[in-house]
Amino acid sequence: MNFHNIIVQVILCWGLAAYILTYAFKQRQKGRKKVFVWYLVVGIILVFGGIEALYQTLH
């Protein structure tokens, strides 16, 4: 994977994670705890996907 593709993956992962985590916390405020947990898990997975892409640039 070249550097450009890795940067695109990082931006997409973290952008989606920010959007999903914002939505998750809005659901928590509405009292929808199960929805909050599911979106929280998906957001965390996306954050780790971005970190993994950054790790690829080092190796």
Side-chain angles (χ1 to χ4, degrees):
M1 203 184 272
N2 65 22
F3 183 73
H4 180 262
N5 290 342
I6 292 170
I7 295 303
V8 169
Q9 180 181 351
V10 170
I11 291 169
L12 285 175
C13 281
W14 287 351
L16 281 171
Y19 178 78
I20 287 173
L21 290 172
T22 301
Y23 183 78
F25 283 101
K26 285 181 182 178
Q27 294 302 312
R28 190 179 101 191
Q29 289 175 348
K30 291 180 182 178
R32 300 177 72 192
K33 301 230 180 204
K34 287 185 180 181
V35 175
F36 165 71
V37 171
W38 280 108
Y39 278 99
L40 184 66
V41 169
V42 170
I44 291 170
I45 290 170
L46 284 169
V47 169
F48 283 128
I51 292 170
E52 185 266 335
L54 283 177
Y55 181 75
Q56 287 181 4
T57 62
L58 300 174
H59 289 87

